[in-house]
Amino acid sequence: MKTRFQPLPDGEPPLDVKPFLHHLRHDPGFAETMQAHCKSRLATPHSPDTAVVHQAAQAALRTLKHHQGAWKAKQALEQAIQLLDPATGAHDATTLRRLHALADEASNHLLDTQEPERTRLMGSITAIRAAIHSLNTEDS
């Protein structure tokens, strides 16, 4: 008998996409619970009966990582945009280092992000890096 994959841990009510994303963004423990749940399903021995469970758990884990990566990249980009705003003040060496770090952080979060969001967010990161370069050349 084939085992059915339950995408949510026991006790979690079924969620549509919007409530799921809300939980990921606002409940830090939710993502860890989801990840642990998927990994526990992947730890079951491989057999013809568990093949469907493994495929579904892998897909769920990829989706979870995608949403987490995209969300965290957006957060880093928003912080960088705020730092680039001329109204926030001078762009000293400390601010420029922070901007570089935020751009790198956003790039790292894109490793698990799927297309087309990866390309769209990479375009934003590229624009931030160009602005940082422009600020560096102004200071030279």
Side-chain angles (χ1 to χ4, degrees):
M1 181 170 110
K2 296 203 186 266
T3 307
R4 187 176 178 285
F5 175 71
Q6 295 293 330
L8 293 170
D10 292 339
E12 287 288 335
L15 296 172
D16 289 333
V17 173
K18 279 189 174 186
F20 175 77
L21 293 177
H22 178 79
H23 277 300
L24 280 181
R25 293 173 183 157
H26 302 289
D27 182 3
F30 181 74
E32 285 78 19
T33 301
M34 288 291 300
Q35 191 167 11
H37 172 70
C38 290
K39 286 183 177 183
S40 73
R41 297 304 182 259
L42 289 172
T44 58
H46 285 277
S47 74
D49 290 338
T50 61
V52 171
V53 171
H54 280 264
Q55 288 175 337
Q58 287 172 342
L61 194 55
R62 261 191 321 273
T63 300
L64 175 65
K65 287 181 176 184
H66 162 75
H67 287 298
Q68 281 184 295
W71 173 251
K72 290 178 180 178
K74 287 177 191 175
Q75 293 296 104
L77 287 169
E78 286 176 10
Q79 289 178 33
I81 289 167
Q82 288 176 351
L83 285 175
L84 283 169
D85 186 356
T88 61
H91 294 111
D92 57 7
T94 303
T95 304
L96 290 174
R97 278 193 300 276
R98 179 70 181 136
L99 284 166
H100 277 289
L102 287 168
D104 290 344
E105 180 183 335
S107 294
N108 290 340
H109 287 305
L110 291 185
L111 294 175
D112 291 320
T113 305
Q114 300 167 10
E115 295 296 342
E117 285 84 2
R118 179 186 298 180
T119 299
R120 185 179 53 77
L121 290 168
M122 188 51 79
S124 298
I125 293 169
T126 302
I128 296 288
R129 290 188 192 278
I132 295 168
H133 180 73
S134 174
L135 289 172
N136 278 332
T137 54
E138 286 177 10
D139 292 341
S140 299

